[in-house]
Each structure stands twice: as C-alpha cells, then as structure tokens.
C-alpha cells in the first residue's frame, strides 16, 4: 500500500522564511502498518492516463482515536446534490451560482461554475487556502482558477468548508484539525456526481496552501474518488510542522487547548502522526501534480521537497514543479502554471474508448 498525505493541518496565513533544504527523515515519516479490517480501495499500481483505478481489497490502519485520518477512512462519501441558491452572473463561457450541499450532517456553502453547453463535462473540486472564517465570503480564494477551469470546460465546485460563509458553524477546536474540511472536499466530489451534466468518471481535485493539505487528506482517506489531483504551494504533509509554523506563533491558546484535550506530541506521538497525510501516502492511487514557488515565504519549499520524496517512496505517481521567482500566491507565472495544470488534467481525465454516457 502507498503512503498518503495528511489531515490535521493547522494554518494561519502568516509569513516565514523559505528553507531550501529538506529535513532528515524522522519517525513521522514511517509508513503505517494496516491491521485487520479491509475495505474496497484502488490498487497500488500507478493508474494509466486514461483509466480509472481498479478497486481491490486493502486493509485499513487501526483506529486509535475518532479524531484521526484512519477514522475518516471508514466514512464513505456522503454529499447531496448541490442546491442552487442564486445565479451570480453569466459570461460568454459559463454561469456561476451560489450553492449549498450536504456534507455528512452539515450544510456547506460554495460556488458552482457550469460551462456553456450540454455536457457531460469533467468536473473539479477546489479547496481554498486559509482565510479567517469570520471575514471569509463565499467562493473566495481561487477566483483565477474558477475562471480558467470553467473556460476550459470543467464544472467547478469551490467548497467554502464548514464554518465558512453561510455553512453550518463548527466548534473552534474541531476546526483546528482540518479533518472536517477534508470531509467537505470528499463530499463535494460526491455531490458533483449527482449533477446530470457531470461525467462521474472524470473528476479531479485542486488545492492551494491549506487546501493542499485538505486535498492530501482527501486522497488518503478516499482513494479512487477522483482521478487526478493538483496542489499549489501546499502546507506541510506533517501536522506538527503546520502547528509549529502557523498556529503556535499566532494562536498559542489554540495549541494549549489542543494539547489539553488530546495530550502533547511527546505524550501521544501516534495521535499526531495519524493526523498527517504523509503517514498514509501508500494509499494514494491518483497522479498528483505539485506546483511550488521557489521563493515561497509562507510554505517553505523544503516542505514540498519532503512531501515529494515521501510520495515517491510510497510509489505515488507524483511530480513536483518548482517555479523560479514565484512566491506563495503566483503572479508572473500563474498562467504558465495553469497551462501545465490543464495539460495534466486533460491527459489524466481523458476518456477511454469504452467510456460512454454514465448511468444516473
């Protein structure tokens, strides 16, 4: 089984100095050892550019805490059909809507962008980076990507995540692990399948910054849900890196509350490893394209190097693309990076000869 990437990403938007060297391997890099229970999951071989993964029986890692990625692995996708609240506007290429969808027992808001035409279209879930929930507005964070992907013929569902915009609120401490956000991304992909103009067999996921961590969590907990993933300037695939780098300097009270509830990393190292997607990279079955700015001052390039090394060690079909002169947000070379993303998605989501209209 391949090792997969991580769930509990604590992230506050804050600056940092880029590190250019990858840290040495640690106990947090050790592959998990599944025991007992099995579930349907895709095979470990790298998927071809045109074929979806083939399910097989694979053992799941033991659940030692309900707050963990192994616990999420046992929760099947449960997204309801997106409900259109209002049409925001239409362009020559697409129509953009404010929507809500079900994520487990919660309502999550978001933006749905539908290309002109009948379809069926390929579709993609967008997982945005950290924006303070109290000031976040629906659809915020990935406006350029929404436009470019819809113009390229993709149905786009940008999830706001629970506790954001008009979605149901969640407790602060529960929100800190990002496990709920990961479920919202999984359920967004499931919700897209309910739309009659979406090709169920051609789904992808894209995440930026914190959304990169959310995307990695989705891949490790639900392998085979999508056929390809793209990550931009992601947070670390190690939960404690993000805790130390973002949360401890900005919200020390949140760290204290986390340790009071679950114990410290010294007291419960396994608990914190089970919040890190890298612990389960061996479960990833989808090809992953990673973009990272060489001058990223928010998420150190060393994090991307380590994540890439661990993905490749786990057999993931992954590629890391560094962009010279680019910081966290991407400016001068954003279009070039998006062109590479579209080329990657076209190849990985290409129809096979025997792929016809999907049953509804």
């Amino acid at each position: 089984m391949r090792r997969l990437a991580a769930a509990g990403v604590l992230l506050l938007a804050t600056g940092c100095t880029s590190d250019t060297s990858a840290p040495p391997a640690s106990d947090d890099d050790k592959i998990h050892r599944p025991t007992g229970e099995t579930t349907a999951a895709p095979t470990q071989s790298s998927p071809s550019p045109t074929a979806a993964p083939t399910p097989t029986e694979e053992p799941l890692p033991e659940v030692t805490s309900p707050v963990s990625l192994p616990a999420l692995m046992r929760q099947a996708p449960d997204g309801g059909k997106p409900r259109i609240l209002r049409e925001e506007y239409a362009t020559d290429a697409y129509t953009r809507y404010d929507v809500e969808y079900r994520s487990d027992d919660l309502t999550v808001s978001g933006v749905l962008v539908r290309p002109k035409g009948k379809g069926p279209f390929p579709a993609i879930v967008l997982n945005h980076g950290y924006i303070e929930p109290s000031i976040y507005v629906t659809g915020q964070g990935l406006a350029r990507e929404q436009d470019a992907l819809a113009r390229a013929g993709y149905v786009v569902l940008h999830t706001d995540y629970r506790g954001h915009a008009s979605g149901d609120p969640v407790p602060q401490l529960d929100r800190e692990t990002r496990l709920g956000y990961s479920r919202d991304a999984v359920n967004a992909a499931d919700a897209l399948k309910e739309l009659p103009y979406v090709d169920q067999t051609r789904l992808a996921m894209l995440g930026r910054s914190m959304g990169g961590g959310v995307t990695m969590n989705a891949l490790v907990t639900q392998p085979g849900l999508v056929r390809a993933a793209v990550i931009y300037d992601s947070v670390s695939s190690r939960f404690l890196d993000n805790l130390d780098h973002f949360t401890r300097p900005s919200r020390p009270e949140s760290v204290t509350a986390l340790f009071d509830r679950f114990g410290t990393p010294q007291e419960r190292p396994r608990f914190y490893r089970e919040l890190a997607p890298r612990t389960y990279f061996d479960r990833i079955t989808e090809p992953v394209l990673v973009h990272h700015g060489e001058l990223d001052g928010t998420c150190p390039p060393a994090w991307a190097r380590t994540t890439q090394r661990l993905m490749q060690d786990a057999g993931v079909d992954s590629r890391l693309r560094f962009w010279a002169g680019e910081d966290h947000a991407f400016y001068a070379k954003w279009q070039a990076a998006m062109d590479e993303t579209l080329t990657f998605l076209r190849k990985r989501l290409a129809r096979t000869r025997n792929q016809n209209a999907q049953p509804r």
Side-chain angles (χ1 to χ4, degrees):
M1 239 172 54
R2 292 186 194 128
R3 302 194 344 170
L4 186 1
V9 174
L10 293 168
L11 181 58
L12 255 194
T14 182
C16 72
T17 302
S18 293
D19 183 4
T20 57
S21 61
S26 68
D27 284 347
D28 287 346
D29 297 341
K30 291 179 180 176
I31 191 168
H32 75 283
R33 292 289 180 252
T35 58
E37 186 178 349
T38 61
T39 189
T43 60
Q44 298 176 38
S45 58
S46 298
S48 71
T50 56
T54 303
T56 188
E57 289 293 317
E58 297 222 353
L60 289 174
E62 178 187 8
V63 175
T64 62
S65 169
V67 182
S68 67
L69 288 169
L72 259 61
M73 293 172 193
R74 290 160 169 81
Q75 298 180 31
D78 184 28
K81 182 178 180 179
R83 184 168 71 91
I84 293 177
L85 303 178
R86 66 189 63 83
E87 179 181 323
E88 282 195 37
Y89 59 82
T91 72
D92 61 315
Y94 59 79
T95 304
R96 174 182 162 119
Y97 304 93
D98 287 344
V99 298
E100 291 179 345
Y101 69 97
R102 189 184 71 247
S103 183
D104 303 324
D105 59 348
L106 298 173
T107 296
V108 175
S109 60
V111 162
L112 179 72
V113 191
R114 177 182 176 177
K116 300 290 187 183
K118 184 178 180 181
F121 304 102
I124 188 165
V125 173
L126 299 189
N127 300 321
H128 66 81
Y130 183 85
I131 301 170
E132 168 55 40
S134 63
I135 64 171
Y136 177 90
V137 296
T138 194
Q140 189 175 356
L142 290 168
R144 296 176 299 180
E145 288 79 2
Q146 293 169 25
D147 179 80
L149 288 161
R151 289 184 180 279
Y154 292 84
V155 175
V156 177
L157 179 51
H158 173 114
T159 175
D160 290 337
Y161 307 134
R162 59 190 64 189
H164 290 65
S166 62
D168 288 341
V170 293
Q172 173 69 24
L173 194 57
D174 291 347
R175 196 181 73 195
E176 293 293 354
T177 65
R178 307 299 192 241
L179 294 177
Y181 297 173
S182 304
R183 282 295 293 171
D184 297 339
V186 164
N187 289 327
D190 195 52
L192 281 169
K193 295 180 180 181
E194 298 295 319
L195 297 173
Y197 48 83
V198 166
D199 184 339
Q200 299 179 16
T201 68
R202 300 169 69 204
L203 300 182
M205 192 171 285
L206 181 152
R208 176 180 285 281
S209 195
M210 180 190 75
V214 169
T215 299
M216 288 189 282
N217 287 346
L219 296 179
V220 296
T221 57
Q222 297 296 328
L225 178 66
V226 297
R227 283 177 55 188
V230 182
I231 295 172
Y232 281 81
D233 285 322
S234 179
V235 297
S236 178
S237 56
R238 179 177 181 261
F239 180 82
L240 291 174
D241 284 345
N242 301 304
L243 184 70
D244 291 339
H245 188 69
F246 295 112
T247 311
R248 193 183 298 277
S250 304
R251 290 180 293 172
E253 71 284 355
S254 295
V255 177
T256 299
L258 190 74
F259 290 173
D260 286 347
R261 180 170 174 180
F262 298 112
T264 67
Q266 292 73 33
E267 293 167 338
R268 297 189 65 193
R270 181 170 181 175
F271 172 81
Y272 293 96
R273 285 198 301 271
E274 291 177 350
L275 291 176
R278 66 173 56 176
T279 307
Y280 308 104
F281 276 158
D282 61 332
R283 287 176 51 80
I284 297 178
T285 57
E286 298 73 32
V288 181
L289 173 62
V290 181
H291 299 286
H292 211 98
E294 285 189 347
L295 302 181
D296 193 332
T298 301
C299 294
W303 286 354
R305 292 189 181 94
T306 299
T307 292
Q308 172 68 1
R309 172 176 59 81
L310 294 174
M311 280 193 179
Q312 291 196 324
D313 288 350
V316 179
D317 178 5
S318 61
R319 180 190 175 211
L320 172 59
R321 174 75 156 88
F322 274 116
W323 292 86
E326 287 294 337
D327 199 344
H328 191 60
F330 274 65
Y331 290 106
K333 297 178 181 176
W334 179 85
Q335 186 60 58
M338 178 51 65
D339 289 344
E340 283 202 16
T341 291
L342 291 172
T343 297
F344 169 79
L345 291 174
R346 277 194 295 270
K347 178 180 179 182
R348 297 301 185 169
L349 300 185
R351 286 179 177 272
T352 57
R353 288 184 180 180
N354 58 357
Q355 246 177 326
N356 300 313
Q358 298 302 304
R360 299 291 169 188

